[in-house]
Amino acid sequence: MLKVHSVETFGTHDGPGIRLVLFLQGCAFRCVYCHNPDTRSRAKDQGTPYSTEQVLALLEKQRSYFRNSGGLTVSGGEPTLQADELITLFTAAKERDFHLALDTSGGVWSRTVNQLYDLTDLVILDVKHIDNAWHRKITGIGNRNTLRNADYRERSGKPLWLRYVLVPGWTDQPEYLEAWARHFSGYRSLKRVEVIPYHTFGVHKYAAMGLRYPLRGVASPTTKQVDRAVDIIARNLGDVPQLVAA
């Protein structure tokens, strides 16, 4: 059984087309800008159990809206913490010809996660910082596994999207934006890069949970700052079908 935090039907921001999006419970990262701190806990009493059959039933209800590009996206939290259960679900969903996307931060490296990637039509990988020390400062964990997973996906030849959250003072350093782009410049599997401006939409959740928000006083990037970041990435990344500020 999957432990699901929430379900979004008719999602349009987590992969191509119209999608059923499962947000799974549990995450090992502690990102300073996390807007869903309520998905972090891995306690036994957190999350709603969903069986493979229940998810397949939801997919079948939405099938007519998917057309050629839509399907299922599993996000989090961190979905690969439930890789075993997802392999069961993805195997069954592929037999029914649903398009499968995995939205992950890449923090878990294992043979099981490799198997899950192999079943996935599209991996959406959030590479939060190219510098290991900064990545650890932002998430509490280094970026070694994330970059290993990116490399594994590239070697598979199957489609990859990258996401990068732009946070003033944390992830907008020009030299690291250049390094981030150059690292992925030779990726032939890379189909889309999304630069996502930091926002404070989830701050109220911290207050409700009795938590201190780590980035108090940090403003969202201006249009000029976003445009500058996109320009730096574009100049160093090379040809990618889509580079967007999401």
Side-chain angles (χ1 to χ4, degrees), residues 2 4 21 33 46 110 113 144:
L2 288 170
V4 177
V21 186
Y33 53 74
Q46 296 293 303
S110 69
V113 172
R144 180 171 180 264

Side-chain angles (χ1 to χ4, degrees), residues 23-43:
F23 296 93
L24 301 193
Q25 186 71 36
C27 187
F29 282 7
R30 292 295 180 264
C31 299
V32 292
Y33 53 74
C34 177
H35 63 280
N36 287 318
D38 46 331
T39 67
R40 291 173 172 175
S41 175
R42 299 170 65 184

Side-chain angles (χ1 to χ4, degrees), residues 5 27 43 64 82 90 103 115 119 146 167 171 195 202 209 226:
H5 172 268
C27 187
S64 61
Q82 301 185 52
F90 277 22
D103 183 358
Q115 288 180 267
L119 285 167
T146 298
V167 187
T171 67
V195 178
M209 296 172 66
V226 174

Side-chain angles (χ1 to χ4, degrees), residues 12-206:
T12 57
H13 300 289
D14 299 280
I18 295 172
R19 310 192 71 81
L20 174 71
V21 186
L22 300 184
F23 296 93
L24 301 193
Q25 186 71 36
C27 187
F29 282 7
R30 292 295 180 264
C31 299
V32 292
Y33 53 74
C34 177
H35 63 280
N36 287 318
D38 46 331
T39 67
R40 291 173 172 175
S41 175
R42 299 170 65 184
K44 291 182 179 179
D45 61 342
Q46 296 293 303
T48 302
Y50 271 75
S51 67
T52 291
E53 291 71 25
Q54 285 175 293
V55 177
L56 291 174
L58 291 174
L59 284 167
E60 291 293 354
K61 286 182 180 179
Q62 241 181 282
R63 185 188 285 274
S64 61
Y65 299 98
F66 294 155
R67 298 183 180 176
N68 294 326
S69 59
L72 171 67
T73 297
V74 182
S75 184
E78 175 48 56
T80 59
L81 292 173
Q82 301 185 52
D84 285 316
E85 293 83 359
L86 282 178
I87 286 173
T88 300
L89 171 61
F90 277 22
T91 300
K94 283 190 77 68
E95 290 174 355
R96 300 193 184 196
D97 201 30
F98 288 109
H99 182 274
L100 306 173
L102 185 71
D103 183 358
T104 173
S105 293
V108 182
W109 171 264
S110 69
R111 185 173 298 176
T112 305
V113 172
N114 291 166
Q115 288 180 267
L116 180 61
Y117 274 43
D118 292 342
L119 285 167
T120 303
D121 297 301
L122 171 66
V123 170
I124 305 170
L125 186 63
D126 186 359
V127 184
K128 299 175 185 296
H129 209 288
I130 196 61
D131 181 75
N132 188 62
W134 269 102
H135 193 281
R136 188 176 296 278
K137 185 177 180 180
I138 291 165
T139 71
I141 298 173
N143 64 8
R144 180 171 180 264
N145 283 346
T146 298
L147 297 180
R148 288 178 76 188
N149 277 309
D151 180 64
Y152 182 83
R153 187 61 176 184
E154 166 64 8
R155 286 185 281 112
S156 77
K158 300 177 71 174
L160 171 69
W161 289 9
L162 293 178
R163 283 179 169 170
Y164 190 82
V165 180
L166 189 70
V167 187
W170 289 78
T171 67
D172 64 343
Q173 308 97 328
E175 67 274 24
Y176 290 128
L177 287 169
E178 291 178 8
W180 189 96
R182 287 198 302 269
H183 183 91
F184 298 109
S185 63
Y187 273 47
R188 292 171 295 176
S189 62
L190 185 57
K191 306 303 180 187
R192 180 179 172 94
V193 173
E194 297 179 349
V195 178
I196 302 174
Y198 160 75
H199 61 72
T200 58
F201 299 157
V203 171
H204 67 282
K205 295 182 181 180
Y206 287 80

